[in-house]
């Protein structure tokens, strides 16, 4: 007994039609930008990654039209371009929001509350992983480690850091994004839209006044190990047993490059006097 192709779930439809071309004015503008990008590299093929960011800045995601454009200007096949565009997760393959909200769910962030943040935001926004809210403002996704474990749990918006988050602070963050309220990252420049971010990643300058000076820098927690390696001494930290009253410790005052975000939670595990983080005794005692 044989089964038909339809019973086996095999589609025999027509081949996909070629993607539509960009309008002439859009293509002319993109070609000008593409020539500037390609000129940076001794081998034009090396320009593919920034060119994919360029077309993502135009469309909000990497469309078939965008990939055909990249193939044309680099003299590549669309298969070669598609292989790269589908490999890297920073290239979106379907329409997405103005703000890409990524919750780190890798080991440390997950243990510190990342999983709870992600579940809360899914329920609050009514979307699943990789989905976008109906107003087109926020795309939610879980992301892998972004090398900010010293500030876990971390949420990123268009690749800018929001450190030491909680379900409540992350909920306020997405609500402000959807309402168009000013949102300031914990570190780095003020937010811009996903399309604007993509153009910057393509290698074009951030032309917003003061944005470059606001660029990211290592925070206090990230530099502790470096200072110790240089032999710089730190005040001794006395960690008391949980059933004793803790003593007040000097509060680190952030420098201008360590601005606190308006969406930092009021308390984290490290700032909760009732549950101090860290061991209760020195190693070996």
């Amino acid at each position: 007994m044989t089964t038909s192709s339809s019973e086996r779930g095999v589609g025999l439809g027509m081949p996909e039609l070629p993607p539509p071309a960009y309008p002439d004015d859009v293509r002319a503008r993109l070609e000008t930008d593409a020539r500037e990008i390609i000129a940076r590299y001794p081998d034009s093929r090396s320009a593919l990654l920034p060119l994919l960011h360029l077309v993502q800045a135009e469309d909000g995601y990497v469309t078939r039209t965008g990939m055909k454009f990249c193939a044309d200007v680099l003299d590549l096949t669309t298969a070669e371009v598609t292989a790269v565009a589908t490999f890297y997760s920073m290239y979106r393959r379907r329409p997405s929001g103005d703000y890409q909200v990524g919750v780190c769910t890798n080991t440390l962030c997950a243990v510190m509350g990342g999983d709870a943040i992600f579940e809360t935001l899914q329920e609050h926004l009514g979307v699943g992983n990789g989905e976008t809210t109906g107003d087109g403002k926020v795309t939610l996704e879980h992301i892998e480690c972004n090398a900010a474990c010293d500030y876990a749990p971390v949420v990123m918006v268009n690749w800018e850091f929001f450190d030491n988050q909680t379900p409540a602070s992350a909920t306020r963050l997405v609500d402000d994004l959807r309402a168009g309220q000013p949102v300031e990252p914990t570190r780095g420049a003020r937010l811009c839209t996903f399309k604007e971010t993509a153009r910057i990643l393509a290698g074009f300058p951030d032309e917003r006044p003061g944005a470059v000076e606001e660029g990211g820098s290592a925070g206090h927690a990230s530099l502790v190990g470096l200072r110790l390696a240089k032999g710089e001494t730190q005040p001794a930290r006395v960690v008391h047993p949980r059933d004793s009253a803790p003593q007040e410790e000097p509060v680190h005052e952030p420098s201008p490059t360590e601005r606190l975000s308006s969406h930092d939670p009021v308390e984290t595990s490290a700032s909760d006097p009732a549950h101090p983080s860290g061991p209760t005794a020195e190693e070996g005692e």
Side-chain angles (χ1 to χ4, degrees):
M1 179 179 177
T2 60
T3 57
S4 66
S5 60
S6 60
E7 291 173 326
R8 294 194 302 269
V10 178
L12 299 178
M14 293 293 292
E16 191 172 30
L17 295 174
Y22 281 120
D24 291 342
D25 60 328
V26 174
R27 185 177 180 91
R29 173 166 47 79
L30 290 176
E31 285 179 345
T32 299
D33 288 340
R35 284 194 294 271
E36 180 178 338
I37 292 172
I38 295 170
R40 302 171 189 159
Y41 300 92
D43 184 345
S44 63
R45 187 188 184 106
S46 300
L48 178 54
L49 295 179
L51 282 176
L52 286 170
H53 283 299
L54 176 67
V55 296
Q56 185 158 257
E58 182 66 32
D59 301 312
Y61 67 109
V62 178
T63 63
R64 293 175 59 234
T65 298
M67 288 191 287
K68 180 66 165 57
F69 171 82
C70 293
D72 289 344
V73 297
L74 295 177
D75 195 24
L76 299 173
T77 66
T78 53
E80 290 173 308
V81 175
T82 301
V84 175
T86 56
F87 182 82
Y88 294 104
S89 62
M90 288 180 74
Y91 300 124
R92 309 306 189 203
R93 294 302 313 283
R94 58 184 178 180
S96 56
D98 293 333
Y99 299 100
Q100 308 282 316
V101 176
V103 181
C104 182
T105 55
N106 215 315
T107 306
L108 184 57
C109 277
V111 169
M112 297 293 287
D115 284 345
I117 292 173
F118 187 64
E119 291 172 5
T120 298
L121 291 184
Q122 286 189 102
E123 181 176 353
H124 181 70
L125 296 173
V127 298
N129 182 47
E131 296 180 351
T132 303
T133 54
D135 58 9
K137 292 291 186 181
V138 170
T139 297
L140 178 67
E141 63 176 351
H142 70 78
I143 54 178
E144 292 300 317
C145 183
N146 279 269
C149 303
D150 40 356
Y151 292 101
V154 169
V155 173
M156 299 196 79
V157 181
N158 294 350
W159 313 117
E160 299 291 353
F161 286 104
F162 290 81
D163 303 322
N164 298 320
Q165 292 297 291
T166 66
S169 66
T171 300
R172 291 195 302 271
L173 170 61
V174 296
D175 284 348
D176 284 349
L177 290 172
R178 299 182 73 185
Q181 298 295 323
V183 172
E184 188 173 298
T186 309
R187 294 172 279 146
R190 74 199 89 130
L191 285 183
C192 55
T193 66
F194 182 63
K195 287 184 178 181
E196 292 169 332
T197 301
R199 183 168 177 83
I200 295 170
L201 291 173
F204 293 96
D206 188 342
E207 298 178 348
R208 296 173 298 161
V212 174
E213 290 74 15
E214 296 170 356
S217 61
H220 173 73
S222 304
L223 296 176
V224 170
L226 176 62
R227 293 190 180 107
L228 291 174
K230 289 182 175 179
E232 299 177 12
T233 60
Q234 299 260 351
R237 182 185 178 195
V238 179
V239 181
H240 298 272
R242 296 186 185 275
D243 56 356
S244 66
Q247 297 178 359
E248 291 189 4
E249 297 182 22
V251 177
H252 169 71
E253 294 295 337
S255 68
T257 59
E258 297 178 66
R259 302 187 318 277
L260 297 180
S261 167
S262 58
H263 295 85
D264 279 347
V266 176
E267 291 186 347
T268 66
S269 60
S271 62
D272 183 357
H275 300 89
S277 59
T280 58
E282 295 294 331
E283 184 177 356
E285 293 184 359

